[in-house]
Coordinates of all heavy atoms in Angstrom, one line a residue:
M1 N 111.9 64.5 78.3 CA 112.7 65.8 78.4 C 112.2 66.6 79.7 O 110.9 66.8 79.7 CB 112.7 66.6 77.2 CG 113.7 67.7 77.2 SD 113.8 68.6 75.6 CE 112.5 69.7 75.8
I2 N 113.2 66.9 80.5 CA 112.8 67.7 81.7 C 113.1 69.2 81.3 O 114.3 69.5 80.9 CB 113.5 67.3 82.9 CG1 113.1 65.7 83.2 CG2 113.3 68.1 84.1 CD1 113.9 65.1 84.3
I3 N 112.3 70.1 81.5 CA 112.5 71.5 81.3 C 112.6 72.2 82.7 O 111.6 72.1 83.4 CB 111.4 72.1 80.4 CG1 111.2 71.4 79.1 CG2 111.7 73.6 80.2 CD1 110.1 71.7 78.3
F4 N 113.7 72.7 83.0 CA 113.8 73.5 84.2 C 114.6 74.8 84.0 O 115.2 75.0 83.0 CB 114.6 72.5 85.3 CG 116.0 72.2 85.0 CD1 117.0 73.1 85.3 CD2 116.3 71.1 84.2 CE1 118.3 72.7 85.0 CE2 117.5 70.7 83.9 CZ 118.6 71.6 84.3
G5 N 114.5 75.7 85.0 CA 115.1 77.0 84.9 C 114.7 77.8 86.1 O 114.5 77.2 87.2
T6 N 114.8 79.1 85.9 CA 114.5 79.9 87.1 C 113.6 81.0 86.7 O 113.5 81.3 85.4 CB 115.8 80.5 87.7 OG1 116.5 81.3 86.8 CG2 116.7 79.5 88.3
R7 N 112.9 81.6 87.6 CA 112.0 82.7 87.3 C 112.2 83.7 88.4 O 112.1 83.3 89.6 CB 110.6 82.4 87.2 CG 109.6 83.5 86.8 CD 108.2 83.1 86.9 NE 107.8 82.0 85.9 CZ 106.6 81.5 86.0 NH1 105.8 81.7 86.9 NH2 106.3 80.5 85.2
T8 N 112.4 84.9 88.0 CA 112.7 86.1 89.1 C 111.3 86.9 89.1 O 110.9 87.3 88.0 CB 113.9 86.8 88.7 OG1 115.0 85.9 88.8 CG2 114.1 87.9 89.8
S9 N 110.9 87.2 90.3 CA 109.7 88.1 90.3 C 110.0 89.2 91.5 O 110.8 88.9 92.5 CB 108.5 87.4 90.7 OG 108.7 86.5 91.9
S10 N 109.5 90.3 91.3 CA 109.8 91.4 92.2 C 108.5 91.7 93.1 O 107.4 91.8 92.4 CB 110.2 92.7 91.6 OG 111.5 92.5 91.1
I11 N 108.5 91.8 94.3 CA 107.4 92.1 95.1 C 107.6 93.4 95.9 O 108.6 93.5 96.7 CB 107.2 90.9 96.2 CG1 107.0 89.6 95.3 CG2 106.0 91.2 97.1 CD1 107.6 88.4 96.0
A12 N 106.8 94.4 95.8 CA 106.9 95.6 96.4 C 106.5 95.5 98.0 O 105.5 94.8 98.2 CB 105.9 96.6 95.8
L13 N 107.3 95.9 98.8 CA 107.1 95.7 100.2 C 106.6 97.0 100.9 O 105.7 96.9 101.7 CB 108.4 95.3 101.0 CG 108.9 93.9 100.5 CD1 110.3 93.8 101.3 CD2 108.1 92.7 100.8
A14 N 107.2 98.1 100.5 CA 106.8 99.4 101.2 C 107.5 100.5 100.5 O 108.3 100.4 99.7 CB 107.4 99.4 102.7
V15 N 106.9 101.6 100.8 CA 107.5 103.0 100.2 C 107.7 103.8 101.4 O 107.0 104.0 102.3 CB 106.4 103.6 99.3 CG1 106.9 105.0 98.8 CG2 106.1 102.8 98.1
I16 N 108.9 104.3 101.4 CA 109.3 105.2 102.5 C 110.1 106.4 102.0 O 110.6 106.3 100.9 CB 110.3 104.4 103.5 CG1 110.7 105.1 104.8 CG2 111.5 103.9 102.8 CD1 111.3 104.2 105.8
S17 N 109.9 107.6 102.6 CA 110.6 108.8 102.2 C 111.8 109.1 102.9 O 111.7 109.2 104.2 CB 109.5 109.8 102.2 OG 110.1 111.1 101.7
F18 N 113.0 109.3 102.2 CA 114.1 109.7 102.9 C 115.0 110.3 101.9 O 114.8 110.2 100.7 CB 114.7 108.6 103.8 CG 115.1 107.4 103.1 CD1 116.3 107.3 102.4 CD2 114.4 106.3 103.2 CE1 116.7 106.1 101.7 CE2 114.8 105.1 102.5 CZ 116.0 105.1 101.7
L19 N 116.1 111.0 102.5 CA 117.1 111.6 101.6 C 117.8 110.5 100.8 O 118.5 109.6 101.3 CB 118.0 112.4 102.4 CG 118.9 113.5 101.7 CD1 118.1 114.6 101.2 CD2 120.1 113.9 102.6
C20 N 117.7 110.7 99.5 CA 118.4 109.7 98.6 C 119.9 109.9 98.5 O 120.3 111.0 98.4 CB 117.8 109.8 97.2 SG 118.6 108.9 95.9
G21 N 120.6 108.8 98.6 CA 122.1 108.9 98.5 C 122.6 109.2 97.2 O 123.8 109.6 97.1
F22 N 121.8 109.1 96.1 CA 122.3 109.2 94.8 C 122.0 110.7 94.4 O 123.0 111.4 93.9 CB 121.6 108.3 93.8 CG 121.9 106.8 94.0 CD1 121.1 106.0 94.7 CD2 123.1 106.3 93.6 CE1 121.5 104.7 95.0 CE2 123.4 105.0 93.7 CZ 122.6 104.1 94.4
C23 N 120.7 111.1 94.4 CA 120.3 112.5 93.9 C 120.2 113.5 95.0 O 120.0 114.6 94.6 CB 119.0 112.3 93.1 SG 117.6 111.9 94.1
K24 N 120.4 113.1 96.3 CA 120.4 114.1 97.4 C 119.1 114.7 97.5 O 119.0 115.9 97.8 CB 121.6 115.1 97.4 CG 122.9 114.5 97.1 CD 123.5 113.7 98.2 CE 124.8 113.1 97.9 NZ 125.2 111.8 98.5
V25 N 118.0 114.1 97.1 CA 116.7 114.7 97.2 C 115.8 113.8 98.1 O 116.0 112.6 98.2 CB 116.1 114.7 95.8 CG1 114.5 115.0 95.8 CG2 116.7 115.7 94.9
Q26 N 115.0 114.5 99.0 CA 114.1 113.8 99.9 C 113.0 113.2 99.0 O 112.1 114.0 98.5 CB 113.4 114.7 100.9 CG 112.5 114.2 101.8 CD 113.0 113.6 103.1 OE1 114.2 113.8 103.4 NE2 112.3 112.7 103.6
A27 N 113.0 112.0 98.7 CA 112.1 111.4 97.7 C 111.5 110.0 98.2 O 112.1 109.4 99.1 CB 112.7 111.2 96.4
A28 N 110.4 109.6 97.6 CA 109.9 108.3 97.9 C 110.9 107.2 97.5 O 111.5 107.3 96.4 CB 108.6 108.1 97.3
Q29 N 111.2 106.2 98.4 CA 112.0 105.0 98.1 C 111.2 103.8 98.2 O 110.5 103.6 99.1 CB 113.1 105.0 99.1 CG 113.8 106.4 99.4 CD 114.8 106.7 98.2 OE1 115.5 105.9 97.7 NE2 114.9 108.0 98.0
R30 N 111.3 103.0 97.1 CA 110.5 101.8 97.0 C 111.3 100.6 97.6 O 112.4 100.5 97.1 CB 110.1 101.5 95.5 CG 108.6 101.7 95.3 CD 108.2 101.6 93.8 NE 109.2 101.3 92.9 CZ 109.4 100.1 92.4 NH1 108.6 99.1 92.6 NH2 110.4 99.9 91.4
I31 N 110.8 99.9 98.5 CA 111.6 98.8 99.0 C 110.9 97.6 98.3 O 109.7 97.4 98.4 CB 111.4 98.7 100.6 CG1 112.1 100.0 101.2 CG2 112.1 97.5 101.1 CD1 111.7 100.2 102.6
F32 N 111.7 96.7 97.8 CA 111.2 95.6 97.2 C 112.0 94.3 97.3 O 113.2 94.5 97.6 CB 110.7 95.7 95.7 CG 111.9 96.1 94.8 CD1 112.4 95.1 94.0 CD2 112.4 97.4 94.7 CE1 113.5 95.4 93.2 CE2 113.4 97.7 93.8 CZ 114.1 96.7 93.0
K33 N 111.4 93.2 97.2 CA 112.0 91.9 97.3 C 112.1 91.3 96.0 O 111.1 91.3 95.2 CB 111.1 91.1 98.2 CG 111.6 89.7 98.5 CD 110.9 89.3 99.9 CE 109.8 88.2 99.6 NZ 109.4 87.5 100.8
R34 N 113.2 90.7 95.6 CA 113.3 90.0 94.3 C 113.7 88.6 94.6 O 114.7 88.2 95.1 CB 114.5 90.7 93.5 CG 114.5 90.2 92.1 CD 115.6 91.0 91.3 NE 115.2 92.4 91.0 CZ 116.1 93.2 90.5 NH1 117.4 92.9 90.4 NH2 115.7 94.4 90.4
V35 N 112.7 87.7 94.3 CA 112.8 86.2 94.6 C 113.1 85.5 93.2 O 112.4 85.7 92.3 CB 111.5 85.8 95.2 CG1 111.7 84.3 95.6 CG2 111.3 86.6 96.5
T36 N 114.1 84.8 93.3 CA 114.3 83.9 92.1 C 114.0 82.5 92.6 O 114.4 81.9 93.6 CB 115.8 83.9 91.7 OG1 116.0 85.3 91.4 CG2 116.1 83.1 90.4
K37 N 113.0 81.8 91.8 CA 112.6 80.5 92.1 C 113.0 79.5 91.0 O 113.1 79.8 89.8 CB 111.1 80.5 92.2 CG 110.6 81.1 93.5 CD 109.1 81.0 93.7 CE 108.7 81.5 95.0 NZ 107.3 81.6 95.1
F38 N 113.3 78.4 91.4 CA 113.6 77.3 90.6 C 112.3 76.8 89.9 O 111.3 76.6 90.7 CB 114.3 76.1 91.4 CG 114.5 74.9 90.6 CD1 115.7 74.8 89.8 CD2 113.7 73.8 90.7 CE1 116.0 73.6 89.1 CE2 113.9 72.7 89.9 CZ 115.0 72.5 89.1
T39 N 112.4 76.6 88.7 CA 111.1 76.1 88.0 C 111.3 74.7 87.3 O 112.4 74.4 86.7 CB 110.6 77.1 87.0 OG1 111.6 77.3 85.9 CG2 110.2 78.5 87.6
L40 N 110.3 74.0 87.3 CA 110.3 72.7 86.7 C 109.1 72.7 85.7 O 108.0 72.9 86.3 CB 110.3 71.6 87.7 CG 110.6 70.2 87.2 CD1 111.9 70.0 86.5 CD2 110.3 69.2 88.3
F41 N 109.3 72.5 84.5 CA 108.1 72.7 83.5 C 107.4 74.0 83.7 O 106.2 74.1 83.7 CB 107.2 71.4 83.7 CG 107.9 70.2 83.2 CD1 108.2 69.2 84.2 CD2 108.1 69.8 81.9 CE1 108.8 68.0 83.8 CE2 108.8 68.6 81.6 CZ 109.2 67.8 82.5
F42 N 108.3 75.0 84.0 CA 107.7 76.4 84.1 C 106.9 76.7 85.3 O 106.3 77.7 85.5 CB 106.9 76.8 82.8 CG 107.7 76.6 81.6 CD1 107.3 75.6 80.7 CD2 108.8 77.4 81.2 CE1 108.0 75.4 79.5 CE2 109.5 77.2 80.1 CZ 109.1 76.2 79.2
I43 N 106.9 75.7 86.2 CA 106.2 75.8 87.5 C 107.2 76.2 88.6 O 108.1 75.4 88.9 CB 105.4 74.6 87.9 CG1 104.4 74.2 86.8 CG2 104.8 74.7 89.2 CD1 103.9 72.8 86.8
P44 N 107.0 77.4 89.2 CA 108.0 77.8 90.3 C 107.8 76.9 91.5 O 106.8 76.6 92.0 CB 107.6 79.2 90.7 CG 106.6 79.7 89.6 CD 106.0 78.4 89.0
L45 N 109.0 76.3 91.9 CA 108.9 75.3 93.0 C 109.4 75.9 94.3 O 108.7 75.9 95.3 CB 109.7 74.0 92.6 CG 109.1 73.1 91.5 CD1 110.0 72.0 91.3 CD2 107.6 72.7 91.9
F46 N 110.6 76.4 94.4 CA 111.1 76.8 95.7 C 112.2 78.0 95.4 O 112.8 78.0 94.3 CB 111.8 75.7 96.5 CG 112.9 74.9 95.6 CD1 114.1 75.4 95.6 CD2 112.4 73.7 95.0 CE1 115.1 74.6 94.8 CE2 113.5 73.1 94.3 CZ 114.8 73.5 94.2
P47 N 112.3 78.8 96.2 CA 113.2 80.1 96.0 C 114.7 79.6 96.1 O 115.1 78.8 97.0 CB 112.8 81.0 97.2 CG 112.1 80.3 98.2 CD 111.6 79.0 97.6
V48 N 115.4 80.1 95.1 CA 116.9 79.8 95.2 C 117.7 81.1 95.7 O 118.7 80.9 96.1 CB 117.4 79.3 93.8 CG1 117.0 77.9 93.7 CG2 117.0 80.2 92.8
S49 N 117.1 82.2 95.6 CA 117.7 83.4 96.1 C 116.6 84.5 96.4 O 115.6 84.6 95.7 CB 118.7 84.0 95.2 OG 118.2 85.0 94.4
T50 N 116.8 85.2 97.5 CA 115.9 86.3 97.9 C 116.7 87.4 98.1 O 117.8 87.3 99.1 CB 115.0 85.9 99.1 OG1 114.4 84.7 98.9 CG2 114.2 87.0 99.5
R51 N 116.6 88.6 97.4 CA 117.4 89.7 97.7 C 116.4 90.9 97.8 O 115.3 90.9 97.3 CB 118.3 90.0 96.6 CG 119.4 88.8 96.4 CD 120.0 88.9 95.0 NE 121.0 90.0 95.1 CZ 121.7 90.3 93.9 NH1 121.4 89.8 92.7 NH2 122.5 91.3 94.0
Y52 N 117.0 91.9 98.5 CA 116.1 93.1 98.9 C 116.8 94.4 98.3 O 118.0 94.4 98.4 CB 116.0 93.2 100.4 CG 115.3 92.0 101.0 CD1 116.0 91.0 101.5 CD2 113.9 92.1 101.1 CE1 115.3 89.9 102.1 CE2 113.2 91.0 101.7 CZ 114.0 89.9 102.2 OH 113.4 88.9 102.8
F53 N 116.0 95.3 97.8 CA 116.5 96.4 97.2 C 115.7 97.6 97.6 O 114.6 97.5 97.9 CB 116.6 96.3 95.6 CG 117.3 95.3 95.1 CD1 116.9 94.0 95.0 CD2 118.7 95.5 94.8 CE1 117.7 92.9 94.4 CE2 119.4 94.4 94.3 CZ 119.0 93.2 94.1
V54 N 116.3 98.8 97.4 CA 115.5 100.0 97.7 C 115.9 100.9 96.5 O 117.0 101.2 96.0 CB 115.9 100.7 99.0 CG1 117.4 100.9 99.2 CG2 115.1 102.0 99.2
T55 N 114.8 101.4 95.8 CA 115.0 102.2 94.6 C 114.4 103.6 94.8 O 113.2 103.7 95.3 CB 114.2 101.5 93.4 OG1 114.9 100.3 93.1 CG2 114.3 102.4 92.1
C56 N 115.1 104.6 94.4 CA 114.6 106.0 94.5 C 113.7 106.3 93.4 O 114.0 106.0 92.2 CB 115.8 106.9 94.5 SG 115.4 108.7 94.4
V57 N 112.5 106.8 93.6 CA 111.5 107.1 92.7 C 111.9 108.3 91.9 O 111.7 108.4 90.7 CB 110.1 107.4 93.4 CG1 109.1 107.9 92.4 CG2 109.6 106.0 94.0
N58 N 112.7 109.2 92.4 CA 113.1 110.4 91.7 C 114.2 110.1 90.7 O 114.1 110.5 89.6 CB 113.7 111.4 92.7 CG 114.0 112.7 92.1 OD1 113.2 113.3 91.3 ND2 115.2 113.2 92.4
C59 N 115.3 109.4 91.0 CA 116.4 109.1 90.1 C 116.6 107.6 89.7 O 117.3 107.4 88.8 CB 117.7 109.6 90.8 SG 118.3 108.7 92.1
G60 N 115.8 106.8 90.3 CA 116.0 105.4 89.9 C 117.2 104.7 90.6 O 117.4 103.5 90.2
G61 N 117.9 105.4 91.3 CA 119.1 104.8 91.9 C 118.7 103.7 92.9 O 117.8 103.7 93.7
T62 N 119.4 102.5 92.7 CA 119.0 101.2 93.4 C 120.1 100.8 94.3 O 121.3 100.8 93.8 CB 118.5 100.2 92.4 OG1 117.4 100.6 91.6 CG2 118.1 98.9 93.1
T63 N 119.8 100.4 95.5 CA 120.8 99.8 96.4 C 120.3 98.6 96.9 O 119.2 98.4 97.2 CB 121.0 100.9 97.7 OG1 121.1 102.2 97.2 CG2 122.2 100.4 98.4
E64 N 121.3 97.6 97.1 CA 120.8 96.3 97.7 C 120.9 96.5 99.2 O 121.9 97.1 99.7 CB 121.8 95.1 97.3 CG 121.2 93.9 97.8 CD 121.8 92.6 97.1 OE1 122.7 92.8 96.3 OE2 121.4 91.5 97.5
I65 N 119.9 96.0 99.9 CA 119.8 96.0 101.3 C 119.7 94.7 101.9 O 119.3 93.8 101.1 CB 118.8 97.1 101.9 CG1 117.4 96.7 101.3 CG2 119.2 98.5 101.5 CD1 116.3 97.5 101.9
N66 N 120.0 94.5 103.1 CA 119.8 93.2 103.7 C 118.4 93.1 104.5 O 117.7 94.1 104.8 CB 120.9 92.7 104.6 CG 121.2 93.7 105.9 OD1 120.2 94.3 106.4 ND2 122.4 94.0 106.1
K67 N 118.1 91.9 104.9 CA 116.8 91.7 105.6 C 116.7 92.5 106.9 O 115.6 93.0 107.2 CB 116.6 90.2 105.9 CG 115.2 89.7 106.6 CD 114.2 89.8 105.6 CE 112.9 89.3 106.1 NZ 112.2 90.2 107.1
Q68 N 117.8 92.7 107.6 CA 117.7 93.5 108.9 C 117.3 94.9 108.5 O 116.5 95.5 109.3 CB 119.1 93.4 109.5 CG 119.2 92.3 110.4 CD 120.7 92.2 110.9 OE1 121.6 92.3 110.1 NE2 120.8 92.0 112.2
Q69 N 117.8 95.5 107.4 CA 117.4 96.9 107.0 C 116.0 96.9 106.6 O 115.3 97.9 107.0 CB 118.4 97.2 105.9 CG 119.8 97.5 106.3 CD 120.7 97.8 105.1 OE1 120.9 96.9 104.4 NE2 121.2 99.1 104.9
V70 N 115.5 95.9 106.0 CA 114.1 95.7 105.6 C 113.2 95.9 106.8 O 112.3 96.6 107.0 CB 113.7 94.5 104.7 CG1 112.3 94.4 104.5 CG2 114.5 94.5 103.4
D71 N 113.6 95.1 107.8 CA 112.9 95.1 109.1 C 112.9 96.4 109.8 O 111.9 96.8 110.4 CB 113.5 94.0 110.0 CG 113.2 92.6 109.5 OD1 112.3 92.4 108.7 OD2 113.9 91.6 110.0
H72 N 114.0 97.1 109.7 CA 114.2 98.3 110.3 C 113.3 99.3 109.6 O 112.6 100.1 110.3 CB 115.6 98.7 110.1 CG 116.0 100.1 110.7 ND1 116.0 100.3 112.0 CD2 116.1 101.3 110.1 CE1 116.3 101.7 112.1 NE2 116.3 102.3 110.9
Y73 N 113.2 99.3 108.3 CA 112.3 100.2 107.6 C 110.9 99.9 107.9 O 110.1 100.9 108.1 CB 112.6 100.1 106.0 CG 113.8 100.7 105.6 CD1 114.6 99.9 104.6 CD2 114.3 101.9 106.0 CE1 115.7 100.5 104.0 CE2 115.5 102.5 105.5 CZ 116.2 101.8 104.5 OH 117.4 102.3 104.0
Q74 N 110.6 98.6 108.0 CA 109.2 98.3 108.3 C 108.8 98.8 109.6 O 107.6 99.3 109.8 CB 109.0 96.7 108.1 CG 107.7 96.4 107.4 CD 108.0 95.6 106.1 OE1 108.9 94.7 106.1 NE2 107.3 96.0 105.1
E75 N 109.7 98.7 110.6 CA 109.5 99.1 111.9 C 109.2 100.5 112.0 O 108.3 101.1 112.6 CB 110.7 98.8 112.7 CG 110.5 98.5 114.3 CD 111.7 98.0 114.9 OE1 112.0 96.8 114.8 OE2 112.4 98.8 115.6
F76 N 110.0 101.4 111.1 CA 109.9 102.8 111.1 C 108.6 103.2 110.5 O 107.9 104.1 111.0 CB 111.1 103.3 110.1 CG 111.0 104.8 110.0 CD1 111.5 105.6 110.9 CD2 110.7 105.4 108.8 CE1 111.5 107.0 110.8 CE2 110.6 106.7 108.6 CZ 111.2 107.5 109.6
I77 N 108.2 102.5 109.5 CA 106.8 102.7 108.9 C 105.7 102.5 109.8 O 104.8 103.2 110.0 CB 106.6 101.9 107.7 CG1 107.7 102.4 106.5 CG2 105.2 102.0 107.1 CD1 107.8 101.4 105.4
D78 N 105.8 101.4 110.6 CA 104.8 101.1 111.6 C 104.7 102.0 112.7 O 103.7 102.4 113.1 CB 105.1 99.7 112.3 CG 104.8 98.5 111.3 OD1 104.2 98.7 110.3 OD2 105.4 97.3 111.6
N79 N 105.8 102.6 113.1 CA 105.9 103.7 114.1 C 105.2 104.9 113.7 O 104.5 105.6 114.3 CB 107.3 103.9 114.6 CG 107.9 102.9 115.5 OD1 107.2 102.0 116.0 ND2 109.2 102.8 115.5
Q80 N 105.6 105.2 112.4 CA 104.9 106.5 111.8 C 103.3 106.3 111.7 O 102.7 107.2 112.0 CB 105.4 106.6 110.4 CG 106.7 107.4 110.3 CD 107.1 107.7 108.8 OE1 106.7 106.9 108.0 NE2 107.7 108.8 108.6
R81 N 102.9 105.1 111.4 CA 101.5 104.8 111.4 C 100.9 105.0 112.8 O 99.8 105.6 112.9 CB 101.3 103.4 110.8 CG 99.9 103.2 110.2 CD 99.9 101.8 109.4 NE 100.8 101.8 108.3 CZ 101.3 100.8 107.9 NH1 101.2 99.7 108.5 NH2 102.1 100.8 106.8
I82 N 101.5 104.4 113.8 CA 101.0 104.6 115.1 C 100.9 106.0 115.5 O 99.9 106.5 116.1 CB 101.9 103.7 116.1 CG1 101.8 102.3 115.8 CG2 101.5 104.1 117.6 CD1 102.8 101.3 116.4
E83 N 102.0 106.8 115.2 CA 102.0 108.2 115.5 C 100.9 109.0 114.9 O 100.3 109.8 115.5 CB 103.3 108.8 115.2 CG 104.4 108.7 116.3 CD 105.8 109.0 115.9 OE1 105.9 109.9 115.0 OE2 106.7 108.4 116.3
R84 N 100.7 108.6 113.6 CA 99.6 109.3 112.9 C 98.3 109.0 113.4 O 97.4 109.8 113.6 CB 99.6 108.8 111.3 CG 99.1 109.8 110.4 CD 99.1 109.4 109.0 NE 100.4 108.9 108.5 CZ 100.6 107.7 108.0 NH1 99.7 106.8 107.6 NH2 101.8 107.3 107.6
D85 N 98.0 107.7 113.8 CA 96.8 107.3 114.5 C 96.5 108.0 115.8 O 95.4 108.6 116.1 CB 96.7 105.8 114.7 CG 96.6 105.0 113.5 OD1 96.3 105.6 112.4 OD2 96.8 103.7 113.6
L86 N 97.6 108.2 116.5 CA 97.5 109.0 117.9 C 97.2 110.4 117.5 O 96.3 110.9 118.3 CB 98.8 108.9 118.6 CG 99.1 107.5 119.3 CD1 100.5 107.6 119.9 CD2 98.0 107.3 120.5
D87 N 97.8 111.0 116.5 CA 97.6 112.4 116.2 C 96.1 112.5 115.9 O 95.5 113.5 116.3 CB 98.5 112.8 115.0 CG 99.9 113.1 115.5 OD1 100.1 113.1 116.7 OD2 100.7 113.2 114.6
E88 N 95.6 111.7 115.0 CA 94.2 111.8 114.6 C 93.3 111.7 115.7 O 92.3 112.4 115.8 CB 93.9 110.7 113.5 CG 94.4 111.1 112.1 CD 94.4 110.0 111.1 OE1 93.7 108.9 111.5 OE2 95.1 110.1 110.1
R89 N 93.6 110.7 116.7 CA 92.7 110.5 117.8 C 92.7 111.8 118.7 O 91.8 112.2 119.3 CB 93.3 109.3 118.7 CG 92.1 108.3 118.9 CD 92.6 107.0 119.3 NE 93.1 106.2 118.2 CZ 93.9 105.1 118.4 NH1 94.4 104.8 119.5 NH2 94.2 104.4 117.4
L90 N 93.9 112.5 118.9 CA 94.1 113.6 119.7 C 93.4 114.7 119.1 O 92.7 115.5 119.8 CB 95.5 114.0 119.9 CG 96.4 113.1 120.8 CD1 97.9 113.4 120.8 CD2 95.8 113.1 122.3
E91 N 93.4 114.9 117.8 CA 92.7 115.9 117.1 C 91.2 115.8 117.1 O 90.5 116.7 117.2 CB 93.1 116.0 115.6 CG 94.4 116.7 115.3 CD 95.0 116.5 114.0 OE1 94.2 116.1 113.1 OE2 96.1 116.6 113.8
A92 N 90.7 114.6 117.2 CA 89.3 114.2 117.3 C 88.7 114.7 118.6 O 87.6 115.1 118.7 CB 89.0 112.8 117.0
N93 N 89.5 114.6 119.7 CA 89.1 114.9 121.1 C 89.0 116.4 121.4 O 89.8 117.2 120.8 CB 89.9 114.2 122.1 CG 89.8 112.7 122.2 OD1 88.7 112.2 121.8 ND2 90.7 112.0 122.6
Ligands
LIG1 ZN1 117.4 109.6 94.1

């Protein structure tokens, strides 16, 4: 007998703060990836679907986003990090 199925896991990618479209509050938004993998004898083999979501920490409102939006958010976070590093360096001098 062959036992197969799927398993879904969520992976947190980043946290970003912006105005939530649901509760209209500036709150932390969790960006995460939900991967569904095909399993054989309960062993995950390969992904059958990958989806991206953003969830508001304040109200729990969840929106599906695409990979491009994820990249955009990640770029935004990286830029913020660079700016923060520069600020710290300027303050140190
Ligand atoms: Zn919200």
Side-chain angles (χ1 to χ4, degrees):
M1 190 172 85
I2 296 171
I3 302 166
F4 63 90
T6 58
R7 187 189 294 169
T8 301
S9 53
S10 291
I11 303 139
L13 297 176
V15 176
I16 188 167
S17 181
F18 59 81
L19 194 73
C20 171
F22 295 98
C23 62
K24 313 289 179 210
V25 168
Q26 176 87 20
Q29 310 285 326
R30 250 173 4 105
I31 300 163
F32 64 97
K33 179 160 110 168
R34 193 176 286 165
V35 182
T36 302
K37 283 184 175 169
F38 176 82
T39 61
L40 191 63
F41 296 105
F42 307 107
I43 299 160
L45 291 180
F46 53 86
V48 286
S49 97
T50 304
R51 296 167 76 187
Y52 299 91
F53 297 90
V54 57
T55 296
C56 174
V57 171
N58 185 51
C59 70
T62 302
T63 315
E64 184 164 4
I65 55 173
N66 60 37
K67 181 72 174 80
Q68 273 172 312
Q69 285 171 296
V70 174
D71 291 344
H72 176 78
Y73 286 139
Q74 222 116 43
E75 209 172 283
F76 181 76
I77 291 163
D78 288 345
N79 286 341
Q80 275 188 324
R81 201 168 295 145
I82 291 162
E83 274 170 31
R84 207 180 310 132
D85 286 351
L86 281 173
D87 285 346
E88 279 167 17
R89 232 167 279 162
L90 286 172
E91 277 165 25
N93 289 334

